Amino acid sequence: MAMSFDVIVIGAGPGGYVAAIRCAQLGLTTVCIDSQAKQNGGQKGKPSLGGTCLNIGCIPSKALLDSSEQYHNIIHQFPAHGISVDNAAIDVAKMQARKDNIVSGLTDGIAQLFKANKVMSVHGHGRVMQDNTVNVLDDSGKIIQTLIAREIILAPGSVPIELPDMPFDHEFIVDSTGALSFDHVPKRLGIIGAGVIGLELGSVWNRLGSEVVVLEALDDFLVVADQQIAREAKKQFTKQGLDIRMGAVVKKIDIDEGGIRMSYTQKDRDNNIEVDRIVVAVGRRPATDGLLSPDCGVAINQGGFIEVDDQCKTDVPHIWAVGDAVRGPMLAHKSAEEGVAVAERIAGSVGHVDFNCVPWVIYTSPEIAWVGQTEKELKKQGIEIKTGSFPFAATGRARAMEQPIGLVKMIADKHTDRLLGVHMIGPHVSELIGECVLAMAYQASSEDIARTIHAHPTLSEATHEAALAVDKRAIHKVN
Ligand code: FAD
Ligand code: NAD
């Protein structure tokens, strides 16, 4: 007989596990089904909660970004402080073991949170049937359990997109998961796609000594970001040694004993390069394969995304969907906020996600962060704006840190002064953006930030001065 719950959640990534915990906090009996297994170490293959984010995404990539930045700083930053270190070396196995430990600690932590909140955890593949029933299948496709619930939340997340005719072989042509697990530093690394993953993981291996070539199909760099910030980013990354080739379309990959050759066209000219490994990072697609039985009624659009309204309701009453598998940016915090909002709606309360205030962060060095709209997007909509910017080089703190790189750019409505977007590149901007997200969430004006006291000497003074610059009254630069 089917076990019965108030809520079944499918997927234990940031969308699913957060929704499950919030449902349980609100007194709903909740089960969470997830198919993810541990990637590395002695427990490889065992169930592992936390989804892409904790297992093969946000957390392991940030662990490697941090290790590689420390190594890079010893060689390139320490000498400016008068510190010299002879024979700095990187032990890749140790670096990877540290990363695996961090992942294990956090994924096991989710299991403990489930226990503490009385969320039942089921390992397997969830498949939605008719009448609010979900079958759980094992790896061979056998039904191992049938569950039924008043409400179902779908949070299956996303998977990497494969290039046609150039499938992942998981040895020479890898996805982000493969690029997080190299056991040595590839001498020459080819990356297809100069998006968020290409830049973050390209930075990791470049800092550790790979010659990294990034091939990007589009002519414009980082089209999702404000183009003033994107231009500065490209300048900095190129200086660091990332060889970014724009308008480059890969046609063929040949692998033989001689090595790996990528053939591509750029400005109608044929080119090729030899590399040792290739990372394909051309975007992700919703992980809906096998999730929905044909008669369950949940609609999927052409891109494979589960169709939802702004409340995360699907076409079928009592079935909701959140996270990477639905419209909107593929970001962990967006998934989690949707998960919380849906749990609260199910419990009869009011859920809220402010889609205008979803922050973006790219964890390169310098970091890139923004919230709200870009100058180009606003101009396209015919909105009249005023902008102010301020370079980190003019702050005492960035200079003391030996990181006088980048800027803060603030965009406000020309007539009302309401903040419409804040864009940053520079040291620790992943942390600085929080103030601006809060300001935008509270519909602040640039004057509100300008009138707020910011501690001295801090990096946040660049935010303050950018706000002052909107009104052409920055103190530490010529307006
Ligand atoms: P996921 O985290 O993908 O979780 C879905 C879970 O559901 C998975 O465990 C999956 O195995 C399981 N599942 C799928 N289908 C089924 C099924 N039918 N039955 C049972 N289980 C199923 N975002 C950020 O905000 N910041 C970052 O720094 C960041 N870094 C990233 C770095 C990398 C390398 C990658 C790949 C992604 C990164 N992301 C980052 C994106 C982030 O990981 C995703 O946006 C986030 O994980 C989405 O959460 P989710 O809950 O929607 O899905
Ligand atoms: P992306 O959309 O960020 O970038 C993909 C890039 O590949 C784009 O610039 C695109 O123009 C290019 N591209 C597409 N097809 C190509 C081709 N055939 N040849 C060359 N270039 C091609 O996707 P991603 O980097 O794979 O990351 C996927 C998603 O994961 C991101 O959109 C983001 O939502 C999430 N993510 C977030 C973070 C973060 O928040 N720091 C980190 C990693 C991943």
Side-chain angles (χ1 to χ4, degrees):
M1 212 181 72
M3 279 179 88
S4 176
F5 296 85
D6 290 326
V7 185
I8 296 171
V9 182
I10 301 184
Y17 86 72
V18 169
I21 290 173
R22 188 70 191 121
C23 283
Q25 284 176 347
L26 291 163
L28 301 161
T29 56
T30 306
V31 59
C32 185
I33 307 164
D34 189 85
S35 53
Q36 181 76 46
K38 287 200 192 286
Q39 297 291 305
N40 299 300
Q43 291 188 303
K44 193 171 174 175
K46 293 259 166 65
S48 188
L49 303 175
T52 302
C53 173
L54 268 60
N55 288 282
I56 49 173
C58 322
I59 299 304
S61 59
K62 267 76 255 179
L64 296 189
L65 277 157
D66 206 70
S67 296
S68 59
E69 191 170 9
Q70 308 268 15
Y71 176 70
H72 182 270
N73 286 348
I74 284 184
I75 298 167
H76 298 280
Q77 291 279 323
F78 279 27
H81 294 268
I83 306 167
S84 52
V85 178
D86 291 334
N87 304 322
I90 182 79
D91 180 339
V92 175
K94 207 163 177 184
M95 175 183 80
Q96 292 290 16
R98 186 189 89 96
K99 175 207 76 183
D100 293 342
N101 249 334
I102 293 164
V103 168
S104 272
L106 290 171
T107 55
D108 292 352
I110 306 297
Q112 283 161 20
L113 285 173
F114 272 8
K115 237 184 226 160
N117 284 284
K118 300 195 171 50
V119 173
M120 184 172 148
S121 185
V122 171
H123 184 67
H125 184 90
R127 183 167 167 80
V128 183
M129 312 306 288
Q130 279 180 312
D131 302 327
N132 279 22
T133 301
V134 173
N135 284 337
V136 184
L137 290 74
D138 66 12
D139 288 344
S140 68
K142 199 176 110 199
I143 298 173
I144 48 174
Q145 233 170 326
T146 297
L147 310 171
I148 190 160
R150 188 161 60 76
E151 309 280 342
I152 296 173
I153 304 174
L154 308 175
S158 63
V159 289
I161 293 175
E162 214 159 5
L163 285 174
D165 305 325
M166 301 170 221
F168 299 123
D169 63 12
H170 301 292
E171 187 180 358
F172 300 111
I173 306 177
V174 304
D175 58 12
S176 51
T177 306
L180 288 167
S181 305
F182 289 147
D183 57 8
H184 67 284
V185 180
K187 187 167 178 319
R188 298 162 305 178
L189 182 63
I191 296 184
I192 306 179
V196 191
I197 292 179
L199 293 172
E200 288 188 355
L201 296 183
S203 295
V204 166
W205 296 107
N206 176 50
R207 290 169 189 165
L208 298 178
S210 286
E211 294 161 24
V212 178
V213 178
V214 188
L215 302 179
E216 165 60 47
L218 297 180
D219 291 325
D220 291 329
F221 183 63
L222 267 184
V223 282
V224 284
D226 189 274
Q227 282 306 291
Q228 188 180 348
I229 303 295
R231 277 193 297 277
E232 177 65 18
K234 184 146 184 286
K235 195 173 91 188
Q236 295 298 336
F237 300 153
T238 305
K239 233 192 213 166
Q240 290 163 16
L242 283 182
D243 178 353
I244 304 169
R245 303 183 188 177
M246 305 303 297
V249 180
V250 180
K251 297 289 178 194
K252 202 160 64 114
I253 298 173
D254 294 304
I255 304 178
D256 55 34
E257 287 97 64
I260 307 172
R261 180 181 295 109
M262 289 206 278
S263 307
Y264 66 96
T265 56
Q266 195 183 21
K267 296 200 177 105
D268 295 329
R269 289 178 58 175
D270 292 332
N271 295 281
N272 60 69
I273 45 168
E274 305 264 340
V275 292
D276 301 299
R277 290 285 183 282
I278 296 174
V279 181
V280 178
V282 295
R284 296 176 63 82
R285 64 173 177 85
T288 47
D289 299 349
L291 172 72
L292 305 165
S293 70
D295 51 7
C296 78
V298 175
I300 283 191
N301 70 18
Q302 271 197 329
F305 291 90
I306 301 169
E307 295 263 26
V308 289
D309 64 10
D310 58 359
Q311 305 266 304
C312 294
K313 284 184 180 148
T314 70
D315 289 347
V316 180
H318 308 292
I319 302 188
W320 312 70
V322 301
D324 278 14
V326 306
R327 43 85 198 110
M330 289 182 168
L331 297 172
H333 40 281
K334 176 263 191 185
S335 300
E337 285 304 308
E338 285 182 333
V340 169
V342 166
E344 292 184 350
R345 285 171 194 138
I346 286 174
S349 178
V350 182
H352 173 71
V353 181
D354 188 348
F355 288 104
N356 293 320
C357 292
V358 179
W360 274 82
V361 177
I362 306 179
Y363 295 83
T364 44
S365 178
E367 292 181 339
I368 299 167
W370 71 90
V371 58
Q373 293 184 279
T374 64
E375 184 167 345
K376 193 171 166 185
E377 286 166 344
L378 290 162
K379 283 189 172 156
K380 209 168 149 193
Q381 295 162 53
I383 298 171
E384 292 190 283
I385 56 169
K386 48 186 180 172
T387 67
S389 63
F390 193 80
F392 282 102
T395 70
R397 187 66 190 275
R399 281 180 176 259
M401 291 165 65
E402 199 62 30
Q403 293 188 51
I405 289 170
L407 68 145
V408 175
K409 171 178 177 176
M410 208 164 273
I411 310 176
D413 184 286
K414 186 175 172 187
H415 304 288
T416 65
D417 193 34
R418 183 174 165 178
L419 274 182
L420 300 174
V422 185
H423 305 267
M424 306 177 167
I425 177 168
H428 301 295
V429 295
S430 56
E431 303 296 339
L432 295 189
I433 199 69
E435 171 189 5
C436 301
V437 179
L438 186 69
M440 280 193 55
Y442 280 79
Q443 307 191 358
S445 60
S446 77
E447 189 183 349
D448 288 325
I449 294 190
R451 285 181 182 275
T452 303
I453 301 173
H454 290 69
H456 175 77
T458 61
L459 296 170
S460 73
E461 286 172 295
T463 308
H464 186 219
E465 290 267 16
L468 288 166
V470 172
D471 196 31
K472 301 204 175 356
R473 57 191 185 99
I475 300 295
H476 294 92
K477 76 163 201 176
V478 180
N479 290 290

